[in-house]
Amino acid sequence: MSPINMKTVGKNTIVLIVMFFSLIFATVFIQANMNDQSQMVYKVTYKNSEIGFVENTENIGQIMKDVTIRLQNELETVVLVDDLVSTFPVKKDKQVLMTDEELKNGLFTTLLYNKNDFFVKAKVLSIDEQTKIVLKDDQTAESVLEDVKSGYISQDHQGSVEAVAFVESVQEDTLYVSQESIVQKDEAVSKLKSSKDEKVTYTIKSGDTLSEIANGNGMGLSELLKINPQFKQDSVIQIGQEVNLMVPKPLLSVKVKEQLTYEESIASPVEYQKDSSKYKTYKKTIQQGEPGIKELTTNVTCINGLESEREIVSEKVIKEPIKTIIVVGTRTLPTFSRPVYGRITSPFGRRWGSFHTGIDIGVPRGTKVKASESGTVIFSGWSGGYGYLVKIDHGEGYVTYYAHNSKLYVKKGQKVTKGQSIAASGSTGNSTGPHVHFEVRKNGVPQNPSNYL
């Protein structure tokens, strides 16, 4: 028996080991290949967000159309979807593949959640080409504008509404916009009705007062006087004068033209008959007139509820007025001179909530008071609030008063001539300082002395 070559045995052993492991690897590789179900598929993304995997891309276009239609039905408006769907091949297991319906659901959910990724058809209102309000559709826009108009149309108006229009230009456009830019109807109406104060001019009409004008325009009298410094609280206003008003001006103003038919009184004409036997102060009504009645049909235009124009369409007299006849005297009045010379500190008429029956002439204490006309002294003495008082009868019902004197120079029954000193001025009785209170009375009724001096 030949001896064993150990070197040869080592080489053979290594070969056998290599063959053994090769057989194992081959078996594993074959087994792996037998279980591998992966293949080339397509990954679907929308704006880089993964939606899922499909086997082919042939239906992607139709699927997007179906998703768009579903969005339109959901939102009840026309939808414009950007083409932001991307597909690219990847190797994936078939088990991850989506059906067309699953892909539609995924895309629909993604779009509905990301509302800025698509545009919807909407109605845009432009006011004077500036303010823009985006609304859902034509019907909503029409409803919004009608609601703004109806706020200025009285439900109990007496006439017929001839026309309703907006003062500002209102342009309507159909655009595709982001859904988030659409406002709800109530919000749109509120915005269009929102207002800021604006100065307008009002022309005073018959029967107006400053208080009524202020209250009728949502202002206080003090606020009205503040923006009209030409007026005071007790100012006498004239028809045709203009008054500044601060009135709320909404974003969208409404002009309403209404035709009204109503009755209006016709002033009674006055006829004066002259009587030369009576003084010029004589006035007596011998026939009391009655106003007439006429029917007017007018077109009244109001902007935001405030009348801006009135046009008479027709008028018809229903009842003729009856004239008033007044007899007036033409005889020259007696003339009276001033009892003293000084500044008139208080005129004839209403004063401090009462009626001032004469005029006050300011002079230093002790100034000589003179008879304004010849006559007979009918009173000389103390008379309550008048203090020391002198009364002189001049005939024809005329009597003059001289009050608040410090001294009296004449007595009752004494005859005096025009310019004669009858007293010294003072501040007796109800008086705030030295002066002469002078009155002219006709048949006991106080007259305005300024008409006789």
Side-chain angles (χ1 to χ4, degrees), residues 125 127 133 135 137-155 161 163-166 170 172 185-186 188-190 192-193 252-256:
L125 298 179
I127 313 302
I133 297 178
L135 299 164
D137 50 32
D138 290 349
Q139 291 75 17
T140 305
E142 182 179 348
S143 180
V144 165
L145 295 177
E146 285 302 317
D147 276 12
V148 174
K149 288 180 180 178
S150 64
Y152 297 101
I153 301 176
S154 173
Q155 298 300 317
V161 177
V164 181
F166 296 115
V170 180
E172 301 182 34
K185 174 186 170 181
D186 290 345
V189 173
S190 178
L192 290 174
K193 286 185 174 181
L252 188 56
S253 297
V254 179
K255 178 189 290 186
V256 178

Side-chain angles (χ1 to χ4, degrees), residues 320-335:
E320 292 287 352
I322 298 174
K323 67 181 177 181
T324 298
I325 301 176
I326 301 175
V327 176
V328 294
T330 59
R331 185 178 174 184
T332 302
L333 292 170
T335 57

Side-chain angles (χ1 to χ4, degrees), residues 1 87 107 125 160 185 265 270 280 316 347 433:
M1 179 177 294
T87 61
L107 285 168
L125 298 179
S160 59
K185 174 186 170 181
S265 65
V270 179
K280 289 182 178 180
K316 178 177 63 176

Side-chain angles (χ1 to χ4, degrees), residues 21 33 37 45 62 103 131 259 263 279 295 301 314 371 403:
F21 281 107
N33 281 339
Q37 299 294 322
T45 63
Q62 183 60 48
L103 181 58
T131 305
Q259 188 168 97
E263 291 184 353
Y279 284 111
E295 182 183 81
T301 300
S314 65

Side-chain angles (χ1 to χ4, degrees), residues 421-437:
S421 296
I422 57 173
S425 66
S427 185
T428 57
N430 294 336
S431 171
T432 58
H435 71 280
V436 174
H437 173 85

Side-chain angles (χ1 to χ4, degrees), residues 19-212:
M19 290 176 64
F20 174 74
F21 281 107
S22 296
L23 180 61
I24 291 175
F25 289 143
T27 302
V28 173
F29 179 76
I30 292 169
Q31 184 66 36
N33 281 339
M34 289 177 65
N35 294 331
D36 186 10
Q37 299 294 322
S38 62
Q39 65 175 21
M40 295 303 294
V41 296
Y42 293 91
K43 180 180 180 180
V44 181
T45 63
Y46 183 81
K47 288 188 69 175
N48 298 323
S49 296
E50 182 180 302
I51 305 299
F53 301 90
V54 296
E55 192 169 4
N56 59 66
T57 61
E58 295 175 359
N59 295 333
I60 295 297
Q62 183 60 48
I63 287 172
M64 285 304 298
K65 289 181 180 178
D66 293 343
V67 170
T68 301
I69 292 173
R70 186 175 172 186
L71 274 173
Q72 291 181 160
N73 293 334
E74 176 73 19
L75 302 175
E76 298 180 345
T77 187
V78 178
V79 173
L80 185 65
V81 180
D82 281 344
D83 188 13
L84 299 174
V85 176
S86 302
T87 61
F88 52 91
V90 294
K91 196 172 183 180
K92 282 285 183 181
D93 192 302
K94 282 187 177 182
Q95 292 180 355
V96 301
L97 293 178
M98 303 178 75
T99 65
D100 286 354
E101 196 61 34
E102 289 173 334
L103 181 58
K104 290 178 186 178
N105 290 336
L107 285 168
F108 174 77
T109 302
T110 300
L111 283 167
L112 199 59
Y113 181 77
N114 299 290
K115 293 184 178 181
N116 284 334
D117 291 343
F118 62 90
F119 300 96
V120 295
K121 186 179 181 181
K123 199 71 169 182
V124 179
L125 298 179
S126 299
I127 313 302
D128 276 349
E129 299 181 352
Q130 295 180 354
T131 305
K132 297 185 184 298
I133 297 178
V134 184
L135 299 164
K136 180 180 177 182
D137 50 32
D138 290 349
Q139 291 75 17
T140 305
E142 182 179 348
S143 180
V144 165
L145 295 177
E146 285 302 317
D147 276 12
V148 174
K149 288 180 180 178
S150 64
Y152 297 101
I153 301 176
S154 173
Q155 298 300 317
D156 56 351
H157 57 81
Q158 299 176 347
S160 59
V161 177
E162 300 293 303
V164 181
F166 296 115
V167 176
E168 296 79 11
S169 67
V170 180
Q171 183 177 341
E172 301 182 34
D173 296 300
T174 300
L175 300 175
Y176 284 90
V177 300
S178 166
Q179 192 176 10
E180 291 188 349
S181 65
I182 296 176
V183 299
Q184 298 300 311
K185 174 186 170 181
D186 290 345
E187 182 183 350
V189 173
S190 178
K191 184 173 183 179
L192 290 174
K193 286 185 174 181
S194 64
S195 60
K196 61 180 180 179
D197 286 345
E198 181 179 71
K199 184 180 287 188
V200 298
T201 301
Y202 174 79
T203 303
I204 294 173
K205 299 180 178 61
S206 175
D208 281 343
T209 66
L210 292 177
S211 294
E212 290 172 346

Side-chain angles (χ1 to χ4, degrees), residues 180-398:
E180 291 188 349
S181 65
I182 296 176
V183 299
Q184 298 300 311
K185 174 186 170 181
D186 290 345
E187 182 183 350
V189 173
S190 178
K191 184 173 183 179
L192 290 174
K193 286 185 174 181
S194 64
S195 60
K196 61 180 180 179
D197 286 345
E198 181 179 71
K199 184 180 287 188
V200 298
T201 301
Y202 174 79
T203 303
I204 294 173
K205 299 180 178 61
S206 175
D208 281 343
T209 66
L210 292 177
S211 294
E212 290 172 346
I213 294 171
N215 294 335
N217 291 278
M219 302 172 62
L221 179 58
S222 59
E223 184 182 0
L224 180 71
L225 296 175
K226 186 175 181 180
I227 61 175
N228 291 276
Q230 71 274 27
F231 294 112
K232 303 298 179 186
Q233 188 166 350
D234 57 352
S235 292
V236 177
I237 58 176
Q238 304 293 330
I239 295 174
Q241 282 183 295
E242 292 185 342
V243 180
N244 291 321
L245 302 175
M246 294 301 292
V247 298
K249 183 184 184 302
L251 185 63
L252 188 56
S253 297
V254 179
K255 178 189 290 186
V256 178
K257 184 178 181 180
E258 185 177 8
Q259 188 168 97
L260 297 175
T261 298
Y262 54 92
E263 291 184 353
E264 191 176 89
S265 65
I266 305 173
S268 169
V270 179
E271 177 184 307
Y272 291 96
Q273 294 181 356
K274 297 178 180 180
D275 186 342
S276 60
S277 67
K278 305 293 184 182
Y279 284 111
K280 289 182 178 180
T281 54
Y282 179 84
K283 181 183 290 186
K284 182 178 181 180
T285 301
I286 61 174
Q287 176 176 297
Q288 185 61 55
E290 293 182 8
I293 301 174
K294 62 181 176 181
E295 182 183 81
L296 294 173
T297 298
T298 60
N299 285 334
V300 179
T301 300
C302 294
I303 297 178
N304 300 328
L306 181 64
E307 184 175 327
S308 62
E309 183 181 351
R310 182 177 290 251
E311 175 191 8
I312 297 177
V313 177
S314 65
E315 61 179 282
K316 178 177 63 176
V317 176
I318 297 175
K319 177 186 175 183
E320 292 287 352
I322 298 174
K323 67 181 177 181
T324 298
I325 301 176
I326 301 175
V327 176
V328 294
T330 59
R331 185 178 174 184
T332 302
L333 292 170
T335 57
F336 296 98
S337 61
R338 286 188 176 224
V340 290
Y341 287 93
R343 183 173 65 90
I344 296 178
T345 58
S346 184
F348 176 85
R350 294 205 169 275
R351 181 184 69 172
W352 307 328
S354 61
F355 195 85
H356 191 219
T357 54
I359 60 172
D360 291 343
I361 306 172
V363 290
R365 182 187 300 273
T367 301
K368 290 183 178 180
V369 180
K370 300 179 180 181
S372 61
E373 184 57 81
S374 300
T376 303
V377 176
I378 59 174
F379 182 86
S380 181
W382 183 269
S383 181
Y386 283 110
Y388 286 114
L389 171 70
V390 174
K391 297 181 185 179
I392 301 176
D393 185 354
H394 306 283
E396 298 292 338
Y398 286 99

